[in-house]
């Protein structure tokens, strides 16, 4: 089945969840999802074979994250998303705000750094190239909040409220590029905030929370703008097929409600992940300090007691 925006008019039956979840794979995303799962699985197996452990929770998070991409891109949700603004918005929100969070919790970069073999002295293999990329000037720019927050906002307002959206929806490569862009924006936005993998920009936990809340209000405002509009705002969805039995403006209002709701749900998930990471970091720091105290014979405490003794001697 081809997409209406790709040169054919589809007469889809009225949308139901059951119809939306029927299999209808986009070859690009199907191959990409299978490749991602295979590479991650290879890394986990490689660690296990040499006796190293890898957290099960990370594997589950990554697999569910990749499957969430397949859910919206390899089912008829992708077909309905070409002609229904509301379904398209579900695709957008999942692939930009749910999938990235789960994938980042899976720590794929950390897994790659642990699983890839070193190339040897004076040589550069995949592991060395990945490290160079992580520490490059380019990565410092694209993970900085001065870049990620405006990009996150522009991906909404600069896309949907300009002719660019209609242009991209007019071809299959354009549609794929747009969805890849949504995923990439979500990854670079959430990575410095709650990603487990090492990165060039890693502020303190309080600053990460501020970064999170700096972008989310604009997301909510975008949803409200769609909900309150008195006429269809996006050309692609102005004339839905009659077979769907929907009205363009009401479908757009539904899309706005979905965008607004999704500005809240991932915020809570990320906040919970951040608080958990913050607590775990404090616990690790406390254990390091305890071990250091054991090694040093608690020299800091001894020095403090000596200081108190000297003060007492002076007083006498």
């Amino acid at each position: 089945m081809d997409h209406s925006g790709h040169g054919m008019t589809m007469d889809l039956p009225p949308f139901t969840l059951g119809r939306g979840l029927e299999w209808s794979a986009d070859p690009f995303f199907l191959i990409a999802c299978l490749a991602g799962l295979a590479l991650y699985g290879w890394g986990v197996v490689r660690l296990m074979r040499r006796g190293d452990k890898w957290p099960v929770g990370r594997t589950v998070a990554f697999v569910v994250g990749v499957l969430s991409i397949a859910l919206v891109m390899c089912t008829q949700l992708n077909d309905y998303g070409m002609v229904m603004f509301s379904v398209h918005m579900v695709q957008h929100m999942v692939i930009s705000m749910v999938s990235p969070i789960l994938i980042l919790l899976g720590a794929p970069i950390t897994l790659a750094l642990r699983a890839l073999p070193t190339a040897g002295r004076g040589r550069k293999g995949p592991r060395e190239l990945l490290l160079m990329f992580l520490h490059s000037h380019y990565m410092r720019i694209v993970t900085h909040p001065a870049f990620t927050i405006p990009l996150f906002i522009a991906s909404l307002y600069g896309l949907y409220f300009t002719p660019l959206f209609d242009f991209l929806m007019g071809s299959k490569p354009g549609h794929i590029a747009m969805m890849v862009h949504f995923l990439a924006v979500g990854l670079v936005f959430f990575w410095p905030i709650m990603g487990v993998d090492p990165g060039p920009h890693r502020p303190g936990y309080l600053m990460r929370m501020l970064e999170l809340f700096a972008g989310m209000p604009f997301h909510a405002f975008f949803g409200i703008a769609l909900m309150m509009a008195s006429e269809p705002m996006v050309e692609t969805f102005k004339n839905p097929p009659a077979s769907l039995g929907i009205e363009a403006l009401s479908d757009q209002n539904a899309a706005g409600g979905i965008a607004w709701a999704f500005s809240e749900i991932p915020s809570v998930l990320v906040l919970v992940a951040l608080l958990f990471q913050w607590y775990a970091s404090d616990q690790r720091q406390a254990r390091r300090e305890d071990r250091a105290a054991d090694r040093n014979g608690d020299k800091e405490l001894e020095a403090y007691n000596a200081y108190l003794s000297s003060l007492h001697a002076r007083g006498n």
Side-chain angles (χ1 to χ4, degrees), residues 251-275:
D251 187 51
Q252 176 177 282
N253 293 341
I258 291 165
W260 176 79
F262 266 92
S263 68
E264 305 297 327
I265 299 169
S267 298
V268 174
L269 293 176
V270 173
L271 190 59
V272 170
L274 264 179
L275 291 173

Side-chain angles (χ1 to χ4, degrees), residues 46-63:
R46 183 174 173 85
L47 291 185
M48 292 176 63
R49 283 181 175 173
R50 71 183 188 207
D52 291 342
K53 292 183 179 179
W54 183 253
V56 175
R58 290 185 180 180
T59 302
V60 172
F62 184 86
V63 170

Side-chain angles (χ1 to χ4, degrees), residues 153-292:
I153 297 168
S155 292
L156 291 171
Y157 297 89
L159 184 66
Y160 287 96
F161 297 158
T162 69
L164 180 59
F165 180 82
D166 297 318
F167 171 76
L168 292 173
M169 289 288 283
S171 69
K172 192 164 187 176
H175 183 243
I176 291 172
M178 179 169 58
M179 290 299 175
V180 170
H181 169 78
F182 290 153
L183 178 62
V185 169
L187 288 170
V188 299
F189 178 77
F190 288 112
W191 180 14
I193 296 174
M194 46 66 64
V196 181
D197 290 319
H201 176 71
R202 187 66 70 186
Y205 287 97
L206 184 59
M207 185 57 66
R208 296 188 204 182
M209 292 182 184
L210 292 175
E211 288 181 26
L212 173 65
F213 292 122
M216 289 303 143
F218 293 95
H219 216 281
F221 295 153
F222 169 76
I224 292 171
L226 292 178
M227 291 170 67
M228 297 184 66
S230 58
E231 61 182 24
M233 302 175 68
V234 179
E235 188 68 32
T236 298
F237 300 115
K238 277 188 176 180
N239 299 294
S243 62
L244 292 174
I246 61 171
E247 196 267 325
L249 185 58
S250 61
D251 187 51
Q252 176 177 282
N253 293 341
I258 291 165
W260 176 79
F262 266 92
S263 68
E264 305 297 327
I265 299 169
S267 298
V268 174
L269 293 176
V270 173
L271 190 59
V272 170
L274 264 179
L275 291 173
F276 179 80
Q277 291 173 10
W278 196 346
Y279 173 78
S281 176
D282 287 346
Q283 292 297 306
R284 287 194 299 270
Q285 180 64 29
R287 287 194 294 270
R288 283 195 294 267
E289 291 174 355
D290 289 343
R291 287 195 297 268

Side-chain angles (χ1 to χ4, degrees), residues 39-41 43-44 47 54 106-116 197:
L39 288 171
Y40 195 94
V44 173
L47 291 185
W54 183 253
I109 294 175
T110 300
L111 177 62
L113 292 174
R114 289 182 60 183
L116 289 170
D197 290 319

